[in-house]
Amino acid sequence: MSTSQTGSTDSTGGSGRGEGAGPAAEDAELLEIALEAARRAGALLRDGRPADLGVAATKTSPIDVVTEMDIAAEKLITSYIGRLRPDDGFLGEEGASSEGTSGVRWVIDPLDGTVNYLYGLPSWAVSIAAERDGVTVAGVVEAPMRGETYQAVLGGGAFVNGRPAHCRPAPDFSHALVATGFGYLAERRAAQAEVVRVVLPKVRDIRRAGSAAIDLADIGCGRLDAYYERGLNPWDLAAGALFAREAGVLTGGRPGQPASGELVVAAPPGLFEPLQELLDGLGAWHD
């Protein structure tokens, strides 16, 4: 079976939390918990950011302040979820890690787009996904400065601020608006620049927003045609990729492989395949 997935995939695996509750009922509960946790963390980050952060007018460096906010947001999320579901596991960017015993694990990026946050750019988000037995079943991307919440449950469609979201139909390759991102290491950035050098003349244009979660959400909302990146972590893409798939997008890595740190490709059917083939041939999956 292909590792690329669409929003039509049915929810499978796991058992409900309460007598008589099935996976679908639990998925809805997980989504509600993720929505509230993301809302609280987003408000903390939005309201707690010093207005002068980008110009280093604090006693500590701006990066220290961002790190403190990042850690505080993750602690808020894990504490809130842990009170409601003490048997669940966690995987978070800022170090939250526990196996749990329920079969459910929360994959958390408390602040996706930290450089944007540092500079006062609006494209940053809180990303929270719930996995059951390794399958992402619920996801939320909260973008406070956009005033938008992207949410999805496996098999239940994608929604932005409560409205159904759908990706664009695949355009001709030459008309595709493609987003990407770059790593922090100089050697990786140099390799990624070579890939962009070849891709750019073949498509409409390239966008670089600085938040993988928002890029994936934007594909699902029809604001981008495609997205690819090397070097993502599970917390960068778990919630956004579910949202995109539920909006009709295909996601994957190299041909026949799932999206991973090696390579993430996301696009609607008809554009996904040629983009994936091009990126694989260019070696976008290695430095």
Side-chain angles (χ1 to χ4, degrees):
M1 184 176 69
S2 171
T3 53
S4 303
Q5 301 180 50
T6 68
S8 61
T9 307
D10 291 331
S11 173
T12 58
S15 60
R17 186 175 169 246
E19 186 176 354
E26 186 181 28
D27 293 351
E29 177 192 351
L30 297 175
L31 178 66
E32 290 303 316
I33 293 171
L35 283 166
E36 180 60 19
R39 185 195 66 78
R40 294 185 181 196
L44 171 73
L45 292 165
R46 181 193 63 223
D47 299 341
R49 182 189 183 277
D52 57 1
L53 177 60
V55 295
T58 59
K59 292 182 179 179
T60 56
S61 76
I63 293 174
D64 289 339
V65 176
V66 172
T67 300
E68 290 172 6
M69 295 299 295
D70 208 344
I71 293 170
E74 182 165 298
K75 184 177 180 180
L76 183 156
I77 293 166
T78 56
S79 296
Y80 176 76
I81 295 173
R83 286 196 302 270
L84 297 174
R85 297 185 58 92
D87 298 327
D88 292 354
F90 291 99
L91 176 65
E93 182 185 25
E94 294 304 320
S97 179
S98 62
E99 290 297 324
T101 58
S102 66
V104 172
R105 182 176 74 162
W106 297 88
V107 183
I108 300 161
D109 191 340
L111 177 52
D112 188 59
T114 53
V115 174
N116 289 342
Y117 184 80
L118 172 64
Y119 277 78
L121 293 168
S123 290
W124 56 268
V126 178
S127 175
I128 303 176
E131 297 177 343
R132 184 189 299 108
D133 300 326
V135 177
T136 305
V137 297
V140 172
V141 176
E142 175 79 8
M145 304 311 292
R146 285 183 164 198
E148 291 186 334
T149 302
Y150 315 91
Q151 65 187 71
V153 168
L154 185 62
F159 297 85
V160 54
N161 288 357
R163 302 185 303 274
H166 304 284
C167 66
R168 285 176 175 267
D172 292 338
F173 199 91
S174 62
H175 291 165
L177 184 62
V178 181
T180 191
F182 305 107
Y184 290 109
L185 299 177
E187 289 184 3
R188 174 163 295 178
R189 293 168 71 85
Q192 290 170 324
E194 280 300 303
V195 173
V196 170
R197 183 183 64 81
V198 177
V199 173
L200 181 56
K202 299 179 182 293
V203 299
R204 181 188 296 274
D205 208 347
I206 295 286
R207 293 290 182 267
R208 197 279 200 256
S211 166
I214 288 181
D215 282 339
L216 289 162
D218 278 345
I219 297 176
C221 292
R223 297 166 180 164
L224 295 167
D225 293 310
Y227 166 73
Y228 75 91
E229 188 165 351
R230 166 166 166 74
L232 295 183
N233 294 293
W235 48 79
D236 295 315
L237 65 100
L242 177 65
F243 177 87
R245 288 193 297 269
E246 288 295 322
V249 176
L250 298 177
T251 67
R254 297 189 67 191
Q257 296 182 16
S260 70
E262 193 173 61
L263 182 65
V264 175
V265 184
L271 179 59
F272 175 88
E273 296 84 358
L275 178 60
Q276 183 186 52
E277 182 179 359
L278 173 63
L279 294 169
D280 190 57
L282 292 173
W285 44 275
H286 66 80
D287 300 334

